[in-house]
Amino acid sequence: MKNNTIKLSLLSAAVLVALQSQSAFAQEEVVEQEEVVEQVKKKQKVETITITSQKRIERLIDVPISVTNVGHEELKQRGVKKLQDVSEIAPNISMTGGKNFNAKITIRGVGANSRNIGFDSRVGVYIDGVYLGQSPAVNQGLVDLERVEVLRGPQGTLFGKNTIAGAINLISQEPTDEFEGSVNINAGSNNLREYNLKLNLPLSDTTAAKVFLNKSEEDGYMKNTYLNTKPGGQDSLAGRVNLISELSDNLRLSFSGDYSKQDLTAFSDMGMTPIFGGTGHPFDGMLEAIYGDVLGGTADSKYENYQDRDVFEDITIWGSSLTLDYDMDNDFAFKSITAYRDTNIDTAIDSDHSYVDWLHTPYTDAYQQTSQEFQLISPDGRDFKYILGAYLFSLDSTTVRAAIGGPEIAWAGIDPSSPVVSIDGKVDTSSYALFSNGSYDLSEDLVLGFGVRYSSETKAVDWSIDGDNSGGFKMGTAHLVDERTDTHLSPSLNINYSLSENSQTYARVSTGFKSGGYNLDFVSNEVIEDGIDFDKETVTSYELGYKAELMDYSLRLNASLFYAAYEDYQVNQYIELVGGTTALSITNAAEVLTQGFELEVDYQMTDNFNISGSLGLLDATFDSFIGGGANGSDASGNQLPNAPKVAASLSLQYYQEVAALSSSIMYRVDYNYTGEQYFLVNNDDGYTVPSTGETVDFDKAESFSMVNARISLLTDSGDWEVSLWGRNLTDSDHLTNSFKEFFGGIIGAYAKPRTYGIEAKFNF
């Protein structure tokens, strides 16, 4: 009832404020801007990109931020299906695959997953200005989008929800005033079957809607030889409705609603060692004597395991938003965004990663969030332009988790009739922020930009853990009721200098923060005694950039140098306990430094041949993290997890006209290179099993390359198109994840093997 009241009151406030505005909706100015852009496009070979990352229609080269823009056509040409695929395009961004439960997005070496309801992510993902929420909700299907904008560095003065590392902005295609639609069918390896339907429905002279439905099924690409199953598959259903209505000359309403249901047999991390890491632990010897080899995986294949349980994920996500836009008589604009999001996930992990029914851990997490954002936007065409914003955010998070022992755990002196560990708790988060950003034209060529954000975030926690039945694993027992509030003032300043009409340089200093929280996971008594709360972190970021469209608009360049210093950086990691087992810990590292270089190039060599590419150089390290490594070792100087020093991409695209078929053929190849990286704070180069002397993959991933390709036959009329596609054509089997599980065994996961298929689209 409380949530419904909040939602209704926020919605009512938005509508009342909007209806009280005595303004006229100045459509003429927007139309004039779009006409100017179209005129420019006709005179060039590389399309001039316009984006709205700063809440205005601007040329990409005029925006003093490191931004990657991926438009609708490029998304289609690359065959991009999910948010994770964008990491192959933008420099210095990565996203872990496999389980959505703990999906992690990293920008410039900095990121986090939110598998813990007391721990927030660092990269914000937004769709049409609405924050999507925690890790289970972010790996969205990228369908019916106008473009994707990836903004690197702190962006708290541009978006309602605070984002300390960067933001990914998903912008939907708006409905039009014509009836049209399309049917898309995609079939491929692993018995992939994907169908989607898109309809654009003009409902009246002033109202139009767009409806999108998607159904996707795919078999798994791994093999569980114990259960004779194929993990790695998925079955999902998704739908989205967008509606736009010009209610009057001065009032524009946008409504969107979406729903998705995903049932996954997740990409299962495999046990690479005996349950206890082959350390000679008595239980390893005892279990091997009874059951034989207790490896969770197999040395014969990176895609086979031997477990009594498959990992599953059942995720339900839905939400809606209402946006009201106005232009006042004095040319000011007002925007209100009211939104509600709901995410639920059920998952269970085989914690021993073996065929022995030793331990599994089910999780049920739920997130319900309400947000309200107001923006006042000053007129364009003036020397002084600015945006004033206010943001209200409420998030109710709940978790129910347990470690459930099977009959064999009785060998450890633990009662299998009761949970080994049980967790039940909630965190209620409420925050508000006031933010502003703007610019002042000092001269025709020199622009001064500014921004400031004041944030206040309160987290109230009521959480219990019962580890009395955990025996020698020494899991904690506690009941925590607490509340903490973090506030922060985050200013930014930039200067933009125009070298010519089509080339700009900029310098930017920005700051940000991430609120503190609580380590509400499987923790030990030792962790509880040290305190399960952690402090906020802050960042100061410096950036120099150059953007240009050269050679008669045939070449576009975006380059940036950056340096960022994070204070009290929050680190979520497995720590080793006495006896070789592990527990989850969140602590504040003293300082993290991340610095590097980014380059994006787009060259239209001929009318039919395009070359594009990117380069990311990165040095992201723990400048000071005393006692942060395994067994309390000093992690200072270690490389941040998921922060490769080098990442590069190269894309070739060619169109060939086929006059006899009134069609053309598009050939496209995308190459991606990722340098070596670590997955854990300790920066190990592998793990040697003490009992055998065998070295297994652990922590460090070697460099790898991947190639994707697509060939499309496109009719000149646009009625239909058909494509042959392939991903990971080199069949790279590089390591994608590695860590020590609860018992101390080494766990690993590898890239999805080569896939291929055929896709057809029919427009009407």
Side-chain angles (χ1 to χ4, degrees), residues 135-288:
S135 288
V138 299
N139 194 20
Q140 292 281 312
L142 301 188
V143 293
D144 202 29
L145 292 183
E146 181 62 32
R147 63 186 178 277
V148 177
E149 298 171 355
V150 180
L151 290 75
R152 290 175 281 271
Q155 304 299 334
T157 65
L158 294 177
F159 293 89
K161 187 72 171 69
N162 189 43
T163 52
I164 193 171
I168 301 177
N169 195 18
L170 312 178
I171 297 98
S172 300
Q173 286 187 322
E174 292 189 348
T176 65
D177 58 1
E178 294 184 6
F179 174 78
E180 57 187 0
S182 64
V183 175
N184 200 91
I185 301 173
N186 191 18
S189 52
N190 302 320
N191 200 22
L192 171 67
R193 295 93 68 203
E194 183 180 22
Y195 318 92
N196 64 59
L197 170 67
K198 181 166 61 177
L199 291 174
N200 190 88
L201 306 170
L203 304 178
S204 70
D205 292 341
T206 59
T207 304
K210 180 170 284 190
V211 179
F212 182 87
L213 298 173
N214 176 268
K215 172 66 174 177
S216 181
E217 297 176 280
E218 184 178 11
D219 294 344
Y221 54 93
M222 296 183 63
K223 183 177 181 181
N224 184 335
T225 54
Y226 183 79
L227 297 177
N228 196 28
T229 56
K230 299 180 68 176
Q234 55 91 20
D235 183 351
S236 63
L237 176 67
R240 183 173 177 83
V241 176
N242 288 341
L243 183 144
I244 290 181
S245 181
E246 304 293 343
L247 299 179
S248 67
D249 291 340
N250 63 343
L251 174 60
R252 186 173 191 259
L253 178 148
S254 302
F255 171 81
S256 68
D258 64 271
Y259 172 86
S260 68
K261 181 74 168 67
Q262 305 174 41
D263 297 325
L264 313 173
T265 52
F267 184 92
S268 180
D269 301 310
M270 298 186 300
M272 307 301 293
T273 68
I275 295 174
F276 290 90
T279 58
H281 193 288
F283 290 133
D284 266 344
M286 181 167 52
L287 289 170
E288 186 169 355

Side-chain angles (χ1 to χ4, degrees), residues 5 65 81 123 161 195 207 282 310 364 369 398 444 486 490 552-553 654 672 734:
T5 302
I65 304 173
K81 298 295 184 181
V123 177
K161 187 72 171 69
Y195 318 92
T207 304
D310 286 329
T364 299
Q369 72 180 50
T398 59
E444 185 176 350
D486 292 309
S490 308
D552 192 25
Y553 297 100
Y654 180 75
N672 296 278
H734 56 274

